[in-house]
Amino acid sequence: MSPAPPASSATLRGFVERVVYHTEDTGYCILKVLPEGHREPLSLIGKAPRVVAGEQFEATGKWEHTNEYGQQFKADTLKLTRPNSSEGIERYLGSGLIEGIGPAYAKRMVEKFGERIFEIIENESVKLEDVEGIGRKRRQEIRESWLKQKGVHNIMLFLHKHGISSSRALRIHKTYGDEALTVLTRDPYRLAQDIHGIGFRTADQIAQQMGMSVDAPERIRAGILHTLETGAQNGHTCLPRSLLHQKAVEVLRCVDELIDDQIEHLVREELIEPHDIQDMRMFYLPYLRAAEKSIAKRLKDLASAPASYPEIEPQEAIAWAAKETGKELAESQQRAVISALQNRCLIITGGPGVGKTTILRTILSILEKHQVKMILAAPTGRAAKRLNESTGLEAKTMHRLLEYQGSGSWGRHRGRPLTGDLFVLDECSMVDTPLMAQFVSALPEGAHLLLVGDADQLPSVGPGMVLNDLISSEAVPCVKLTEIFRQAATSRIITSAHAINRGQMPDLKPSRDADFFFLEAGSAGEISDTLIDLVQRRLPARYTFDPARDIQVLTPMNRNELGTQALNVRLQDALNPPNELKYEVERFGSTFRVGDKVIQTQNNYDKDVFNGDLGHIVSIDTDPLKLSVRFEGERLVEYEPGELDELQLAYAMTIHKSQGSEFPCVVIPVSTQHYVLLERSLIYTAITRAKKLVVLVGDPKALSLAISKQESRKRWTGLRSLLEAP
């Protein structure tokens, strides 16, 4: 029988038998521990940045009794150290902490080396190859993982000490390596610039915990730069002085004069650039101003030069292409083809059903016959795949074409340009200012450029509105297609999209054979319930859609009852519920199961996956923990636990994330709950993602509100001004 626990404050020592619960966000944990002098394990509650089964612990605190859990120890302080007993070491190594080691390997390693195993891993790892099943590759994996975990643990302890969530420790270590603690202590504001998921407020919290005053010049400067970076994240390439000032005050909560002084300091240091645009003083991050200047100069130069294709008689070529493609062109389409053959740089823009694809096929057929070397690209993998399917020619993502090498480094640039005669860039509305600047800088001398896109869709997620600025400046020849052709005119998806684009309500009257429906639902809860029932039951039954692969829920935002986060939880439970045979893993607030539909949320060039790529989880391995996703195109990509913040469930995704994609069926919640984000381009973009069926669910008043607003066009940029300048 175990000794009776004391009633007052006590100190316990022993080892951690099992981690019942632990959250890296707060460090809160519930542990099963075996204290010295006790025969049975007991419950301990405390806080620690990381806990691993098998670790030694020392805790001070008090005993408490609960009706639900009985007697447990509540620790005020909890220290954890590496285990020193064979049993503890085996548990520790077999916990999944170290890549390449599961319970079976842990047992063999401890049997072979006993309590010296940590020293062996770190300093004499070649000896691990004496253990059955461990070869050179696994031995190296074990040692590298061990050293990484040491570094990560030190970062976790630092963050925990300063009251910061330790959930990003792995990414901090991956970004800075052995320099991580130096960066944290010397310049915590770098975290906000360098690491996905860490914002200015977290970095500021670390800095203030370390004693930095609220009016320190370096803090004010970091806040001003953060304001401009946030502006870029919201689509602006620059901000007027008054808006920069206002937003910086909101972030920093300091007096105005401090901000004015530090703006001038940043200008002197050339960390921000002032420019006058239409009598307004605008402030830029230098790379964005340089990008706008590069685009303006290169495209003005291209537009001023005539085409240099082989001699082509346009009408004969169009007649030949009609026989070749089986597509007769209308007069407006013929004019577009002739413009493409006569101009070195041309924009073709228009909404769905106006024949952009037919025109493009005709142009490419004619030029291919004349041995013109053509290079096709699009901003995302899904858009490139669609371009390939519609033209029959190879199409690459812009990043792959430009040989992106990570960390802002490109293999193709002004000094090492691309090779080709005609460069076709599709889905141009999605291309932001920095990417377009890189693209045009890599074009060879004598290149021709054809830009294709729908200017009425949402502008790019990144800074700028390049396609709109190009069109509105009239500096580049542009063909605007407006005529809807006969076959497309029978689709209510097409006619509704064009009505919305004109600022008109589409026809919402139900029609049994239509491809566009509006289902009225009142509250957010009713909309959510209707949406789940549609995806899970009604649409698959009526149209034989696969609910996970063919139906895509698109919503304006991430938060609230009708945001991606809440809808994904409900859709996951409806379409891929948990069961005893299905292993799942929880990280960064999401639960992932085999079979789940997921989306990559940032570019990862090491794994060759990009922001917006969709896939399905095909396996979750537990020894060691790894999750495998099969993306479209059949690429299999593995993720470690600390990398899972790059993935999100994708049964529902934001409309912004859907740009450049097409889905057989799209379901869209429309609610006044989304009032802040509701606007015309958003609804138009969502509807035009569907190939076969659109279902809107919600309040007609919310749809009317959206159609009457055009907020996404309000971006601060200087590109149009540069294009219009003589």
Side-chain angles (χ1 to χ4, degrees):
M1 185 172 163
S2 299
S8 58
S9 179
T11 298
L12 292 184
R13 296 180 185 85
F15 83 92
V16 178
E17 195 168 79
R18 182 162 59 91
V19 180
V20 178
Y21 176 80
H22 179 250
T23 173
E24 291 174 340
D25 288 338
T26 63
Y28 177 81
C29 56
I30 303 171
L31 311 176
K32 282 291 183 186
V33 299
L34 187 63
E36 295 170 356
H38 288 246
R39 297 176 195 161
E40 301 293 330
L42 52 88
S43 293
L44 181 147
I45 297 170
K47 281 190 174 185
R50 183 180 65 175
V51 196
V52 181
E55 284 186 307
Q56 302 292 124
F57 80 91
E58 180 179 308
T60 58
K62 293 182 179 179
W63 293 95
E64 59 177 29
H65 185 82
T66 65
N67 292 332
E68 191 172 354
Y69 300 109
Q71 200 80 11
Q72 57 189 18
F73 191 81
K74 189 170 184 181
D76 298 319
T77 64
L78 177 59
K79 294 178 183 175
L80 294 151
T81 55
R82 206 181 289 164
N84 55 23
S85 69
S86 294
E87 182 184 0
I89 291 169
E90 189 178 315
R91 283 176 183 269
Y92 183 79
L93 289 176
S95 66
L97 175 76
I98 310 299
E99 292 165 37
I101 306 178
Y105 280 112
K107 185 176 181 64
R108 290 180 216 160
M109 289 164 68
V110 174
E111 284 176 353
K112 180 77 176 173
F113 299 108
E115 295 173 16
R116 289 190 61 236
I117 184 60
F118 299 133
E119 182 188 336
I120 295 291
I121 293 173
E122 192 161 334
N123 300 315
E124 302 176 68
S125 67
V126 72
K127 291 183 178 178
L128 294 177
E129 294 181 29
D130 294 339
V131 176
E132 181 190 348
I134 297 182
R136 182 171 174 272
K137 185 179 177 184
R138 186 179 289 267
R139 185 258 298 176
Q140 290 175 334
E141 182 183 20
I142 290 168
R143 185 172 186 275
E144 285 169 12
S145 180
W146 172 262
L147 295 175
K148 178 174 72 176
Q149 290 300 335
K150 277 185 67 179
V152 169
H153 189 59
N154 290 335
I155 298 165
M156 281 183 163
L157 288 170
F158 177 90
L159 293 172
H160 197 66
K161 177 182 170 186
H162 290 96
I164 309 296
S165 161
S166 56
S167 60
R168 303 289 173 190
L170 183 61
R171 195 158 298 285
I172 293 172
H173 184 268
K174 193 172 183 180
T175 304
Y176 303 118
D178 294 341
E179 299 296 311
L181 284 176
T182 304
V183 171
L184 282 166
T185 52
R186 288 187 183 172
D187 186 11
Y189 293 108
R190 272 186 61 188
L191 299 176
Q193 298 171 29
D194 298 344
I195 298 177
H196 174 75
I198 295 183
F200 174 80
R201 295 200 185 283
T202 301
D204 196 34
Q205 190 179 345
I206 295 172
Q208 291 191 46
Q209 284 275 348
M210 292 165 59
M212 184 172 288
S213 70
V214 293
D215 57 359
E218 54 265 51
R219 177 177 182 265
I220 307 300
R221 291 195 289 271
I224 294 165
L225 291 171
H226 165 73
T227 302
L228 283 171
E229 285 153 4
T230 302
Q233 289 163 14
N234 292 329
H236 308 292
T237 59
C238 53
L239 292 177
R241 184 176 193 120
S242 58
L243 186 59
L244 173 60
H245 198 281
Q246 174 198 327
K247 295 293 183 185
V249 168
E250 290 172 10
V251 167
L252 292 162
R253 299 186 182 90
C254 66
V255 296
D256 296 2
E257 295 77 16
L258 291 172
I259 289 172
D260 287 333
D261 290 345
Q262 296 310 319
I263 286 176
E264 296 310 316
H265 179 94
L266 289 167
V267 170
R268 287 194 301 273
E269 294 292 315
E270 299 182 350
L271 293 171
I272 62 176
E273 284 188 28
H275 291 278
D276 292 325
I277 300 173
Q278 295 176 341
D279 300 323
M280 291 186 74
R281 192 69 161 170
M282 310 293 285
F283 287 90
Y284 279 86
L285 294 168
Y287 82 95
L288 289 172
R289 181 62 175 182
E292 286 187 343
K293 288 168 73 175
S294 174
I295 295 167
K297 182 177 188 316
R298 191 74 174 97
L299 292 189
K300 284 165 78 173
D301 287 348
L302 279 176
S304 66
S308 61
Y309 294 127
E311 194 170 322
I312 299 171
E313 206 295 309
Q315 292 299 344
E316 287 180 12
I318 289 169
W320 171 85
K323 292 176 186 174
E324 194 75 11
T325 63
K327 295 277 187 181
E328 291 284 345
L329 298 191
E331 189 178 333
S332 62
Q333 293 176 308
Q334 290 186 34
R335 287 197 298 270
V337 173
I338 293 167
S339 290
L341 298 176
Q342 291 175 340
N343 287 283
R344 189 173 286 274
C345 183
L346 180 73
I347 298 167
I348 297 178
T349 187
V354 297
K356 293 195 300 294
T357 300
T358 301
I359 291 166
L360 186 56
R361 275 195 203 129
T362 301
I363 294 166
L364 298 179
S365 295
I366 292 169
L367 294 175
E368 189 174 32
K369 183 190 176 191
H370 288 81
Q371 276 94 47
V372 172
K373 183 176 180 182
M374 298 172 294
I375 307 295
L376 278 61
T380 67
R382 293 175 69 81
K385 184 180 177 186
R386 285 178 56 204
L387 183 58
N388 162 254
E389 290 168 351
S390 65
T391 63
L393 298 173
E394 181 188 19
K396 294 182 178 180
T397 64
M398 295 175 73
H399 284 85
R400 185 159 293 150
L401 179 68
L402 297 169
E403 298 175 14
Y404 188 71
Q405 295 162 4
S407 305
S409 176
W410 303 81
R412 295 289 182 172
H413 43 72
R414 188 171 285 105
R416 185 172 174 258
L418 297 160
T419 57
D421 302 315
L422 169 65
F423 293 83
V424 178
L425 185 55
D426 198 14
E427 294 287 358
C428 281
S429 62
M430 297 177 65
V431 183
D432 65 28
T433 300
L435 184 55
M436 182 62 89
Q438 187 64 40
F439 178 71
V440 299
S441 75
L443 294 177
E445 287 300 318
H448 298 73
L449 179 61
L450 182 58
L451 302 172
V452 184
D454 183 349
D456 295 312
Q457 283 189 34
L458 286 168
S460 57
V461 174
M465 42 194 301
V466 175
L467 183 60
N468 274 279
D469 282 347
L470 289 172
I471 293 169
S472 58
S473 73
E474 299 183 356
V476 175
C478 178
V479 174
K480 297 179 184 177
L481 302 167
T482 56
E483 182 183 354
I484 304 174
F485 292 97
R486 187 168 57 250
Q487 186 176 354
T490 63
S491 164
R492 280 179 64 177
I493 295 175
I494 304 293
T495 56
S496 298
H498 282 273
I500 287 167
N501 204 25
R502 294 191 299 268
Q504 300 167 354
M505 279 287 278
D507 182 1
L508 302 184
K509 293 193 296 289
S511 172
R512 181 167 181 78
D513 297 322
D515 57 4
F516 178 94
F517 294 92
F518 192 102
L519 302 182
E520 287 198 38
S523 67
E526 188 183 345
I527 294 170
S528 180
D529 289 344
T530 303
L531 187 147
I532 303 301
D533 189 40
L534 280 166
V535 176
Q536 183 182 23
R537 185 180 63 84
R538 290 163 63 179
L539 293 175
R542 170 81 189 275
Y543 298 95
T544 66
F545 288 137
D546 180 300
R549 294 184 183 274
D550 297 333
I551 303 173
Q552 185 60 58
V553 176
L554 299 178
T555 184
M557 63 201 310
N558 287 310
R559 301 189 184 280
N560 293 335
E561 195 172 350
L562 295 173
T564 58
Q565 294 169 2
L567 289 175
N568 270 319
V569 170
R570 292 201 64 187
L571 286 163
Q572 182 190 43
D573 285 344
L575 303 179
N576 192 25
N579 64 51
E580 292 177 5
L581 302 176
K582 196 176 289 179
Y583 189 76
E584 60 183 44
V585 59
E586 184 179 348
R587 284 292 188 283
F588 303 107
S590 295
T591 299
F592 298 104
R593 299 178 189 133
V594 172
D596 275 336
K597 182 179 184 179
V598 291
I599 184 170
Q600 175 78 13
T601 61
Q602 56 183 288
N603 293 336
N604 186 321
Y605 302 97
D606 295 332
K607 295 184 185 297
D608 198 30
V609 287
F610 301 95
N611 189 355
D613 283 357
L614 290 172
H616 287 80
I617 298 173
V618 294
S619 66
I620 299 176
D621 298 324
T622 59
D623 189 10
L625 184 59
K626 279 183 183 171
L627 183 147
S628 298
V629 177
R630 190 172 299 285
F631 286 94
E632 292 173 338
E634 299 303 302
R635 286 172 300 128
L636 193 65
V637 180
E638 290 187 339
Y639 293 80
E640 297 175 23
E643 297 173 321
L644 294 182
D645 60 338
E646 294 185 16
L647 292 177
Q648 288 177 2
L649 294 174
Y651 301 102
M653 71 167 76
T654 62
I655 297 166
H656 277 93
K657 288 280 188 193
S658 75
Q659 283 180 270
S661 301
E662 275 189 344
F663 309 96
C665 174
V666 165
V667 181
I668 309 161
V670 185
S671 166
T672 50
Q673 190 181 81
H674 296 144
Y675 173 75
V676 175
L677 290 175
L678 280 177
E679 57 99 30
R680 190 183 307 164
S681 293
L682 195 82
I683 298 297
Y684 174 81
T685 300
I687 287 171
T688 55
R689 298 309 89 208
K691 289 192 280 190
K692 296 180 180 177
L693 183 68
V694 169
V695 184
L696 290 93
V697 183
D699 183 351
K701 290 179 187 173
L703 180 61
S704 179
L705 262 175
I707 292 167
S708 67
K709 281 169 59 184
Q710 187 63 300
E711 296 296 320
S712 70
R713 294 286 174 264
K714 296 177 182 176
R715 288 190 170 191
W716 296 105
T717 77
L719 179 58
R720 178 177 175 178
S721 174
L722 287 165
L723 288 161
E724 290 174 342

